[in-house]
Amino acid sequence: MRLDAGLMGRLAADEALWRDFNDICDCGGRLSGTQSEKRAFALLRERVRAASPANSGRSIPVPYNGWQAKSATLKLPGGTFAPCHPLVRTIATPSSGLTAEVIDLGRGTPDEFEAHKAEIAERIVLVRHELMFAAGTIHRRRKYDMARAHGAVGFLIGGPLAGHVVAGSSGRDSGEGIPALGISPETAAKLARRSTGFPSVTITVETAEGPAETETLVYDYPGQTDEWVVLSAHVDGHDLAESAMDNGTGLAAVLAVARALSPEVAKWRRGLRVMFFSVEEWALTGSAQYVKALGEAERAKIALNVNLDSVAGSPNLAALTSGFAGVEPFLLGVAEANGQSLRTVRPLMTNSDHANFATGGIPAIRLVAGFDDPNAHLRVVLTPADTRDKVAQSELRQATLLTAALVAAACNADPDEAARWRA
Ligand SMILES: [Zn+2]
């Protein structure tokens, strides 16, 4: 269970970890469909090739409904314009814009929607962005769906960080929807209900949509059996900043773990499959297509998916275990044997690519930093403040070491142990 001392030493001294992280951030926010995303894929290819020249990997095409925002404006009562950011795949407005009253539903819980249900139709719903990595979080996409179900004509979400708008996906795939914008907390405060009634705003959103294609990048390092441990991270992000925590941290850690472990895997029971997904921010599309295409027998050969998403920005790491209680003693045992603290969180959270493995019957965990910590830097994920200065090198290295230990132990676990993960 304890990571081999040689491997540990190599990882602890691997200067490429921090270089890779910075180079990934230099690619920009990596919104799917942009040159920034393409630059990141090219960089990942180059870094894997440098570490294992014999493995050219394979690319799985991922068709999806492409979307691009051309412009977005929000005109407040009184005629001034407030900064806003179109949520991914928001529908466009008519060119004359959408003018309607705003109803502030606070956090946007099901109770708040229910209590105001008679007032929502034909209005624009305003809710608040929540810390994503916390028990009981209500995901933005659920709030958007509730707004639509109650007949709202638009959707605004107030961000968590003073002076900054917030990004995220609207939850719409293609077809019908309502215009959806991220705004700053200050703008949200200006849209509170008054004694005179609900404030009225005008939204304009211009978009371009059409068929698009990205890829999933896969590198297989076979072990002695035909079973696999899948180590994954998503490449894509948002165009507000450099998507450093989410998910530059996960990508850099996967590269470092692959670099350290790949020369060893041939001796191990299970192989290591390294996967880089995209369109994760677009309803987990890349991993959904991958898992859906796997036959029953192929799924049975994957012993565990370890998905890294936002693994630094706080020194506290959690493993979201997706309901697979049987994997928790294994994870905790490996963490303890390597002198790391880890907590496990069991409910299935559909907030990253591991969820598609889990719902496909494959034991799957997401490693995430700062879970349930409202003060962690992770609270500014999806804002322009998700920048590299929020990440301490020590945090990224700690996450990388824990990941290497987990993956190595999972590759070597005996069949009885691996069977318990699936139970
Ligand atoms: Zn993410």
Side-chain angles (χ1 to χ4, degrees), residues 44-104:
L44 293 167
R45 280 193 163 84
E46 179 215 308
R47 295 295 147 88
V48 176
R49 193 180 308 123
S52 49
N55 191 338
S56 52
R58 62 196 155 99
S59 169
I60 304 172
V62 177
Y64 68 103
N65 294 313
W67 170 95
Q68 210 191 325
K70 301 271 190 197
S71 69
T73 64
L74 170 63
K75 191 156 80 174
L76 301 178
T80 58
F81 285 87
C84 61
H85 193 77
L87 298 190
V88 167
R89 291 198 293 196
T90 174
I91 202 162
T93 60
S95 53
S96 57
L98 162 74
T99 300
E101 291 175 343
V102 175
I103 177 162
D104 183 353

Side-chain angles (χ1 to χ4, degrees), residues 234 246-247 280-281 309-310 366:
H234 72 85
D246 182 13
N247 187 24
E280 188 271 351
E281 304 285 3
D309 192 347
S310 311
R366 171 186 178 172

